[in-house]
Amino acid sequence: MTGWREGQTMVMTKPVPPRAIGFWGGLSANVLNMIGIGPFVTIPLALSALAGPAVLLGWIAGALLCLCDGLVWAELGSTIPESGGPYHYLREAYGRERAGRLFGFLYLWQTLLTAPLSIGSAAVGFAQYAGYLMPSLGDSGRILIAATLCLVNTAILYRKVGDIQKLSLVVTVAVVAAAAWIVFTGISHFDMATARHFLDAPSPTGKGFWLGLGAVSLIAVYDYGGYNNVCMLGGEVKQPRRTIPRAVLISIPVVAVLYLGLNVSILGVLPWETASKSTAVVADMLQAVHGAWGGTVAVVLILVASWGSALVVLLGYSRVPYAAAADGQFFKPFARLHPRDGFPTVSLLFVGITSALACFLSLEKLISMLMVVQILFQYIAQCFAVVALRRRGHAADVFRMPLYPLPIAISVAGWLYLVATSGVSTMLTAVVAITVGCILFLWQARRTRTWPFPT
């Protein structure tokens, strides 16, 4: 593991991106990813899945699961601070020339599937709120707006990462301030009768409760998702052994407090039945408080947040095909860097264009497939990767999660629960995707005479 130690000189024959992202840049990359379009379009979905105060349990359970998983990411990101993070974590943990080749390939395979889904979901949410300002905008118009957003963000990111860090910081401050204003507005106009009506709403019991809790928790995890974005940029982070864990573990409670406040604010202003059927729930809440101008301001702020989220998600995911290609496991052109500014060019363009194509899917389908595929392909495998890497020893300055291995056990149990309650069709689609990935890996391994085939 000494090759990963911070401060050591590694023998490199190819150029690498410079380490230009500091703590605030890493934190903003996470927070801006987390506070995207997610909660503004999924709160009605959560209320539809589980009525009554039990819906808040789903948000809390999702936050606790993400905090445990955040400890996994923090330790892995500190141990192996390289761009394309999980690709390197899985390769190193399971043996770079043995099973790690399979896990690394499967991660790359799922990234080619989930990166467009993740970026596309933010863009589709952006277009959905844009429809509030343009009521005559039809389905075709929303798809065009979402796809255009992906292409515009690709053009914005076609520059050195230091410039993007400055833009990310400015947008993050604006987004957090906007979210805080929305929460303050809701709490300052909180109506106890409306809240009591929500508290008195009957919650399902038995199997219906557990399925509903799983559905809400899955939505919550999607909304909290993004606390790992700095790990995707590990090779471009300054002092990564300290910066990555701090950025991951600080971003989760900050955003969790904002999300819970957002839920409470909405449920104290709008009847929960109205909120559950809304397509622009925050805009409807602020319109109820301030009139038409309140709804318009809310939409503008949410559009900024969703644009920023799509931007930083594209930034993070664009480094994964580059990392695999630089490692010799993907098509060589994807390892190409800009000759002056040092950012991946082909990888960025590929992810940006495929994200535009993903905008033709519905938001609900994008979210469910995105989460289940990531859980089965990556999140569970990463939990066991921590165990494997610990057995090999760490450098003295590597972050170690507290209460080990309890956070890992909670993470694995939580991920399995979310998959089990996601629905048969979603699980089957994910299993088919894994099977196809394994077949492609074996075909490639046989062709190149690498593990598990003898050389």
Side-chain angles (χ1 to χ4, degrees), residues 45-81:
L45 298 177
L47 291 172
S48 300
L50 190 64
V55 72
L56 298 179
L57 293 178
W59 288 96
I60 295 172
L64 293 176
L65 175 56
C66 288
L67 186 59
C68 290
D69 187 61
L71 291 170
V72 171
W73 281 92
E75 182 159 332
L76 290 173
S78 177
T79 304
I80 306 177

Side-chain angles (χ1 to χ4, degrees), residues 90-172:
L90 298 173
R91 284 292 306 273
E92 192 71 24
Y94 296 104
R96 296 192 65 82
E97 300 305 323
R98 299 189 302 277
R101 296 181 66 90
L102 171 61
F103 282 97
F105 182 87
L106 288 178
Y107 172 70
L108 175 61
W109 171 244
Q110 70 96 11
T111 299
L112 296 180
L113 299 174
T114 59
L117 296 176
S118 180
I119 301 164
S121 66
V124 170
F126 176 96
Q128 185 171 313
Y129 262 85
Y132 183 92
L133 298 179
M134 296 176 284
S136 61
L137 192 66
D139 291 338
S140 298
R142 284 191 288 269
I143 291 172
L144 180 61
I145 288 177
T148 301
L149 178 69
C150 293
L151 297 177
V152 168
N153 280 348
T154 303
I156 292 174
L157 291 175
Y158 203 85
R159 66 194 71 245
K160 61 183 179 181
V161 74
D163 294 340
I164 302 304
Q165 178 181 209
K166 298 172 186 176
L167 176 62
S168 175
L169 280 169
V170 172
V171 176
T172 298

